Amino acid sequence: MKLALIGFGQAGGKVVDAFCAFEEMIDRSFIEASIAVNSATADLRGLEHVAQEDRVLIGQSRVKGHGVGADNDLGAQVTEMDLDEIQAAIDRVPVHDLDAFLIVAGLGGGTGSGGAPVLAKHLDRIYTEPVYGLGILPGMDEGGIYTLNAARSFRTFVREVDSLLVFDNDAWRRMGESVGDSYDRTNREIAERFGRLFAAGEVNEDDDVAESVVDSSEIINTLSGGIATVGYATEPLNTSGGGLLSRVTGDSPSTPDETTSTNRMTSLIRKATLGRLTLPCDVSSAERGLVVATGPSESLSRKGIERGRTWLEEETASMEIRGGDYPIPDAGEVGSIVLLSGVTDIDRVEQLQGVAVEAQETTADVQQRSDEQFDSLLDTGGELNALF
Ligand SMILES: Nc1nc2c(ncn2[C@@H]2O[C@H](COP(=O)(O)OP(=O)(O)OP(=O)(O)O)[C@@H](O)[C@H]2O)c(=O)[nH]1
């Protein structure tokens, strides 16, 4: 499907950059426009793929290009003030060619966390195309303010978008990795997972378009509300291809027998669902789902996809599980993307909100104590007057 990507704040801009790099790599066009919005000049300067004229600096009169310092109330305010600047960039996008908007933001900071929900509300009022959010949750070790920002932004963002796709930094970090390396890697993971999903509905002119190819309307119908998460699993064709029958018959390993293809596809769908999701959750709480099989057409077993789809219906007790192909000629691997939408049983979100409520109470206590101590410090019993 064709998207207008809008990266809000530093993380949002970097992830949009990673999406553009991913699109170049897979040679399948799903990005109609890419825009980056930030209150920090340096962050905008660091981008590689977003065109100069599509980088929008907001809040200049308030924060002079230095960012909002993790104050997401201020992030929301400066966005509201400068919506016209963002709209001017969106006005250059051929909206009639778009299937949807996707606003990407790190929810722990200030600019993206505060600004993304404000922009979502604005776009929803103006356009009929769906407005999706991609929200990145902070790591648990990032501290109270990031958690509090993320929890407050999350409840606002999910309310303002047609669907909130979520990536949890905490679930994807690796021990011993530096923050910079970790972000570069996770941004590639984000672009690959969500990018493959959105690219699935797009075909090149010379592609063989089978009836079973997934259509953007199926993605849109699956993303029809609430919180969404994505799973992805692949298997190289050369190591698994063949199976017993082909080994016996001496067939090439890239043309496996039907039973092998069917079993492989079914197990890839299970692996994608039960492996690490972009936002770990209880799969049975999903309201809707979409299963997409990727790889060379001859390796995509219809029976395997059907079995995988039926299995997911049983796991979720949902009748709304869609399925389709994303043929990639000459791919060296076969894979499965699973989109779960309308998920509600999410430990990480409950934990985030719990820690945020505590952080809010602690902040209020500390503020009150500090005010009292300050008053007491300057209290001379009325024996000293201020200058004016
Ligand atoms: N996955 C990922 N997460 C990031 C990246 N950079 C920052 N984050 C996350 O995003 C949060 C901070 O958001 P930023 O985007 O840096 O903040 P901002 O929106 O620019 O806001 P201010 O800097 O406060 O003006 C942190 O809590 C991190 O968890 C990145 O490149 N990749």
Side-chain angles (χ1 to χ4, degrees), residues 8-12 14-15 38-40 43 66-71 105-113 136-139 142 146 167 169 182-184 186-187 190:
F8 224 116
Q10 188 181 20
K14 276 160 55 189
V15 169
N38 210 314
S39 61
D43 292 348
H66 297 306
V68 299
D71 177 346
L107 303 189
T111 307
S113 170
I136 301 165
L137 300 183
E142 285 189 47
Y146 290 89
F167 184 89
N169 272 348
S182 157
Y183 284 160
D184 287 346
T186 47
N187 293 351
I190 294 172

Side-chain angles (χ1 to χ4, degrees), residues 27-104:
D27 188 31
R28 191 76 67 113
S29 151
F30 63 96
I31 304 175
E32 191 63 37
S34 55
I35 294 169
V37 183
N38 210 314
S39 61
T41 321
D43 292 348
L44 286 176
R45 214 179 285 138
L47 299 174
E48 287 175 21
H49 292 268
V50 177
Q52 207 63 44
E53 67 270 23
D54 294 325
R55 303 179 190 185
V56 183
L57 183 66
I58 56 167
Q60 215 171 349
S61 60
R62 283 290 292 276
V63 300
K64 318 272 182 244
H66 297 306
V68 299
D71 177 346
N72 63 355
D73 284 308
L74 184 55
Q77 275 171 37
V78 298
T79 304
E80 195 75 62
M81 276 164 49
D82 286 347
L83 271 174
D84 288 350
E85 313 269 335
I86 307 172
Q87 185 59 52
I90 295 170
D91 283 342
R92 292 194 293 272
V93 177
V95 175
H96 50 273
D97 289 338
L98 285 185
D99 290 307
F101 292 92
L102 179 68
I103 306 172
V104 189

Side-chain angles (χ1 to χ4, degrees), residues 358-372:
E358 260 175 46
Q360 192 161 273
E361 284 166 5
T362 311
T363 308
D365 286 350
V366 169
Q367 181 71 50
Q368 192 187 350
R369 207 174 332 123
S370 167
D371 288 351
E372 284 166 9

Side-chain angles (χ1 to χ4, degrees), residues 335-357:
S336 159
I337 307 161
V338 173
L339 167 66
L340 298 170
S341 169
V343 291
T344 46
D345 192 347
I346 314 162
D347 286 349
R348 179 73 179 100
V349 171
E350 287 188 11
Q351 178 205 39
L352 187 82
Q353 296 191 131
V355 175
V357 169

Side-chain angles (χ1 to χ4, degrees), residues 161-175:
V161 289
D162 290 283
S163 179
L164 181 61
L165 299 143
V166 185
F167 184 89
D168 181 12
N169 272 348
D170 211 53
W172 285 81
R173 70 188 180 148
R174 280 187 196 153
M175 296 297 282

